[in-house]
Amino acid sequence: MNTDSQGLRRNRILLLYFLGVIVPGFFLGYMAIRGIRGDKAIREKQVLQELSLVSQDFFRLMNDQVSELTAITEIEKDSSQSLVFVVRKEVESPIIVVGHRMMFLPDRYLDSTENHEITGDSELAWDMEYVRKDFKGALNYYKQLAVSATNSDVIKTAWFAQARILKKQKQYADALVCYDLIGTKFYSHRINGLPAGAIALMEIARIKLLSGDTAGTVRAIFQMADYLLHPPVNCGQDPMELLISDMADLRKSITPLAKESNVILKGTDSLISRLNPFLERSGYLSGILSTIDKYVAGVGNQNFYLPAKGYRDWLIIQEDSSLNKKCWMIDLNRLSESKFPAIIKKYDPGQIYSYRVTDQSGKLLYDRVLDTDRQFLSFSFPAGLPPWKLEIRKNPEPALAAFLQSGAGLPVIFLIMIAVWLITGLIFTVYTLNAEIKLSRMKTRFISNVSHEFKSPVTSIRHMSELLKLKRVRTEEKKDEFYDSMIDQCDHLTYLIGNILDFSRIEEEMKKFHFESVNLVDLIENIVAIYRNRLSESGLTVSFTKENAIPGIIADKDAIRQVASNLLDNACKYAAAGKRIDVNLTSDSSEVCLEIKDYGSGIPKSEQEKIFERFYRIDDSKNVGIKGSGIGLTLVRKIIESHHGRVELKSKMGEGSSFFVFIPLNN
Ligand code: ADP
């Protein structure tokens, strides 16, 4: 088979491989990719379902929070402080504010029983104080009145009047005592729409300022601001605004103080800064309360979302079977702040998801975002809750878990396995093909080499027999020489045929060895003699040395003869230039060693192992024309291995080669 047809064969096999393996492989890969896509879609659907369940949980808990608020009877019990007011409207009755967290209420809701106007100023006292300027007389009058009166409003009027007169008389210490008493005694009284305590504290602050006690003034303003943040009584909007602005003016008139008082001053400023938004918020809520009738007028249960000025309020109106109504105003900003973290923590303790809550205009109200660049899925709050949006996404999972869970994981592994399988198959196929082609080339060469090797003895025998037949060989001596040569050529042919037959038997593991006791010395001597004879004319000498006592071995005689012949034959063929071949036989207690040494060109290191491979011949310019089949050394090694021995080679370029054959004595 020539190189072209081998190439064609290889291409055909590769084409078959391509059609039979690669194309189906690609098809499988394509199917796997489709599978991955399909899987991804399923996974996305699963995620959507999962997030949708999470959102429902969230909404349910949010709903629970709202229901919890509407079940509260006393506004103070709302720990989230989200309820800003609760209102009741019974059929045929006016609207009542049940409870609230505001600084003041619209006038119509101010309970008149809480109102304690200053009354009881008699004309006499008025005359004494304002016309005759008899402060002492007026003071005594009021002192008496405070003790004798039974009506608390009269008593309060008496105390306020005493304090006022004392202040006019610059009896500040006594005036302060009076105001202190008013503050404690009439703590939850409302006077002219203002809490009595606040009025008293304002007066105390003023008196302290008049008497030059700035630190005392600041302390009084501090107490007053604190008091107004939790007014103990329902107040009116206008007087409250006026009082707070007076208080702020008073504060402004105070210049920085000594260090320790400065701390109180800072505290006061911080309270005032809290009062202002409270005031504003109360104004806003008060506006809604003033118009609450229009919300309550509706039929059945209703919800109103009231966003304005950054406030987000949720008005819930419930109607009972008797058509009575109850309204809860919930501050959603506060509810979100206080409840969202708890809600989320409750059902997502493992922090699997990220959340964002945005209002109707897309403004962020709350977020707990743990990952960075994933897309959120958005869910609208259901009816019955504010019109907000909950955005959720799953936080990234650990890489491997995500890979295996993503759905794409297993098909991707499959895909990789298919690819690896195909590539491995391709490499294996190409490798096997190349090995086969190499072997096939070697066999082709072998056949041609063997033919050439056979040709020359056959040609020479034919030539000599022709000459003999034509009686061209005259002398008997010459005839004998021809006969010897023909016998020698026949022996050589037998040796060649024996080599090939043995090789094929060994290859097919059919070779049978006949082990017997062999006298190695005789055997080698015999072969050396044959070669000496054969080489006598070529000028090549063959020496044979041995140790004195070489023990006999158990071996196949013909096989060992073949080993020695092959090695000697090689030495003659490849090392003729060395003119000498040494054959040496040695032994030790365990083995005998046959060494065949030549002084030829040697064998390169890189080839020393390869020459034992079947059909292998060194492609060397020096070997051109030397006939051989490449099976001699293979046979040598196989035969010796069958005798449990080994073959070694020592060779140096330019110096020659030594082949050592070791045969164990007890094989
Ligand atoms: P061949 O029939 O070609 O001699 P062998 O298996 O006996 O086959 O030898 C393999 C190759 O080893 C030879 O082709 C030759 O190149 C190399 N070789 C064997 N013996 C020697 C030697 N004594 N000196 C140099 N080269 C050798």
Side-chain angles (χ1 to χ4, degrees), residues 570 573-574 598 603 611 616-618 623 628-630 632-633 659:
N570 279 352
K573 280 197 290 186
Y574 302 110
D598 66 55
I603 302 166
I611 54 174
Y616 191 84
R617 304 196 72 219
I618 299 175
N623 291 342
S629 53
L633 287 177
F659 285 86

Side-chain angles (χ1 to χ4, degrees), residues 449-465 482 485-497 534 627:
N449 286 342
V450 166
S451 313
H452 275 102
E453 229 181 345
F454 272 91
K455 210 170 172 184
S456 58
V458 171
T459 315
S460 132
I461 292 168
R462 187 189 157 82
H463 180 64
M464 282 188 278
S465 24
F482 267 46
S485 176
M486 281 164 74
I487 291 168
D488 195 38
Q489 296 291 4
C490 282
D491 283 349
H492 188 57
L493 272 176
T494 312
Y495 153 77
L496 289 177
I497 292 166
R534 194 180 288 167
K627 296 186 178 71

Side-chain angles (χ1 to χ4, degrees), residues 32 94 106 117 300 379 471 502 517 525:
E117 297 303 338
F379 300 90
K471 308 219 184 313
D502 276 349
S517 176
E525 246 171 7

